[in-house]
Amino acid sequence: MSNVSCLEKETELNCKNGFCFKPITLEAKTLIESYTKPWKADCSDLTFANLFIWGTEGKMEYAEKNNVLYIKLDFENVPVFFWAPIPKKNTVVDYKKAIYDAVDYMKEISVEPTFRSVWTEFKDMMKAACPELYVMETDIAWDYVYERESLATLKGKKLHGKRNHINKFLSQHPDFVYKKLDKEMIPDCIALYEKWLSEREETQGLEDEKKSVLLALQNMDALSLTGGGIFVNGQLKAFTVGERIREDMQLIHIEKADTDMDGLYPMINQQYVLHECQDVTYINREEDMGIAGMRKAKRSYNPIYMVEKYLLSLRDLSDAKDLWGEKETE
């Protein structure tokens, strides 16, 4: 029995309008990746690890129909929505029908039909098949992509502040140790996360994040994840977890550090890149979710480009209120 079983609610097969949605389990990895991996996307959403760790307890489910993979998302306070239908690469599919099959499903369950976090290539495919669809940029979901060399060396005027933070950390903790993350370090990672969580004024949604972090740590081998941690005086003070999503790109899923130590976040960022990302060109550090502090931090690392994502719908939703359920965090 996999570690996910204790964290996922029991879900009966959800069949409606020709779709039979199933929970994202480790057993589904091969099937799902047979659809997603051939696209060689730089988009963080399309990795199986992302689906598995963030889609627990029914938040994400998948269905397969006519050589097309569908991902349905059902988050608290957000109406059910789909990602773009993902056709099996190098097969002939009626993509317009695939889109409207999903539309009909959403209508059947009485939600506004929307396709969200649609990566640019799929946005173009959807518009080619259905020119009548409305397209809206959703920059809160755009991934930040950086040059690996830039994050490893922190050279240049724009990253001067990051170098200063790291130099301050090194001056105070010259005997720090970086270790590749292994199973023996999981309790330390959870203890560090608990400390980080206890210091948050706003904890809404963070218990769910904790479950996702635990899933990632407990299933690193099965998910092909790598991680690293920084120890100071024998105690874990920061850790990060990521995966190779393309031959030339590493994706960072999780990064936590003891906020009492100056420069620890830039330090774990750099150390993971130096030790676990030697042979890639790009680092994807995912989206900022519209959180002002996270946006400022991710922009401060000088991304080389953004992985743009869009919302597609049957009508203009640019003036719709609370489109993402909750208002963006200031």
Side-chain angles (χ1 to χ4, degrees):
M1 184 176 293
S2 72
N3 291 316
V4 68
S5 59
C6 64
L7 296 173
E8 286 188 339
K9 64 184 180 183
E10 292 296 321
T11 306
E12 294 183 359
L13 203 59
N14 178 10
C15 295
K16 190 185 295 289
N17 279 21
F19 290 99
C20 285
F21 281 97
K22 303 175 185 178
I24 309 291
T25 64
L26 290 177
E27 291 73 21
K29 184 175 186 289
T30 299
L31 186 150
I32 289 174
E33 289 188 338
S34 73
Y35 282 91
T36 58
K37 274 191 171 294
W39 289 97
K40 298 185 181 299
D42 55 1
C43 175
S44 63
D45 302 308
L46 296 182
T47 76
F48 179 80
N50 178 73
L51 295 169
F52 180 77
I53 67 176
W54 302 112
T56 62
E57 299 181 326
K59 295 182 187 70
M60 299 183 194
E61 294 182 321
Y62 77 96
E64 187 184 20
K65 183 180 179 183
N66 299 329
N67 287 321
V68 178
L69 180 73
Y70 297 84
I71 304 295
K72 176 170 67 75
L73 299 96
D74 186 3
F75 286 85
E76 187 176 359
N77 300 320
V78 181
V80 170
F81 62 94
F82 278 51
W83 283 342
I86 305 170
K88 186 159 283 188
K89 193 81 167 178
N90 299 321
T91 61
V92 177
V93 302
D94 185 340
Y95 201 50
K96 181 169 185 173
K97 183 179 186 305
I99 292 167
Y100 274 95
D101 281 350
V103 166
D104 291 342
Y105 179 95
M106 286 182 271
K107 286 182 176 179
E108 178 69 17
I109 62 172
S110 301
V111 298
E112 178 88 49
T114 58
F115 299 89
R116 307 188 187 201
S117 293
V118 177
W119 174 49
T120 299
E121 185 167 356
F122 282 92
K123 181 260 294 182
D124 294 342
M125 288 167 50
M126 291 181 72
K127 281 292 288 181
C130 304
E132 68 276 13
L133 293 176
Y134 287 84
V135 177
M136 183 170 67
E137 290 185 352
T138 51
D139 64 353
I140 66 171
W142 289 10
D143 291 345
Y144 290 75
V145 177
Y146 309 84
E147 287 184 308
R148 184 264 177 197
E149 189 69 14
S150 177
L151 295 187
T153 64
L154 299 175
K155 290 181 179 179
K157 185 176 180 180
K158 290 184 177 180
L159 297 176
H160 176 72
K162 304 298 181 186
R163 295 196 303 276
N164 284 345
H165 284 302
I166 285 178
N167 288 335
K168 184 175 182 180
F169 175 85
L170 290 172
S171 68
Q172 296 175 343
H173 310 286
D175 298 325
F176 86 94
V177 175
Y178 174 89
K179 292 183 181 179
K180 187 178 183 70
L181 203 155
D182 58 33
K183 292 180 180 179
E184 285 68 35
M185 292 163 60
I186 291 177
D188 291 333
C189 292
I190 296 303
L192 177 59
Y193 187 91
E194 293 280 10
K195 178 182 185 299
W196 176 87
L197 184 62
S198 70
E199 296 167 349
R200 308 274 76 76
E201 293 183 7
E202 178 57 60
T203 60
Q204 185 175 0
L206 292 181
E207 284 300 326
D208 283 346
E209 182 186 74
K210 179 182 173 182
K211 294 175 185 177
S212 297
V213 170
L214 184 59
L215 275 177
L217 293 171
Q218 291 179 330
N219 294 279
M220 288 187 65
D221 290 343
L223 298 173
S224 301
L225 301 177
T226 60
I230 287 179
F231 287 79
V232 176
N233 298 324
Q235 291 188 321
L236 180 72
K237 294 297 182 180
F239 72 94
T240 191
V241 175
E243 68 169 310
R244 188 68 47 89
I245 61 171
R246 281 192 335 205
E247 290 182 359
D248 63 344
M249 182 175 288
Q250 191 86 358
L251 170 65
I252 310 300
H253 285 294
I254 299 163
E255 185 179 82
K256 296 298 177 190
D258 187 334
T259 54
D260 293 335
M261 288 189 171
D262 290 338
L264 195 48
Y265 270 106
M267 195 68 187
I268 186 61
N269 183 341
Q270 185 191 52
Q271 289 296 304
Y272 180 77
V273 169
L274 286 171
H275 288 89
E276 316 302 338
C277 310
Q278 297 96 326
D279 55 346
V280 301
T281 304
Y282 304 107
I283 308 292
N284 181 325
R285 291 184 54 80
E286 297 188 336
E287 71 278 3
D288 60 40
M289 299 181 291
I291 300 172
M294 190 180 296
R295 178 166 293 192
K296 180 179 179 181
K298 294 198 174 189
R299 289 179 176 177
S300 70
Y301 275 98
N302 194 29
I304 188 172
Y305 75 91
M306 306 291 290
V307 179
E308 299 179 2
K309 304 174 196 176
Y310 302 85
L311 184 150
L312 279 74
S313 56
L314 298 178
R315 63 186 182 94
D316 186 357
L317 295 177
S318 57
D319 293 326
K321 302 298 182 183
D322 297 329
L323 193 59
W324 296 93
E326 297 176 1
K327 294 181 180 178
E328 292 182 24
T329 304
E330 297 298 331

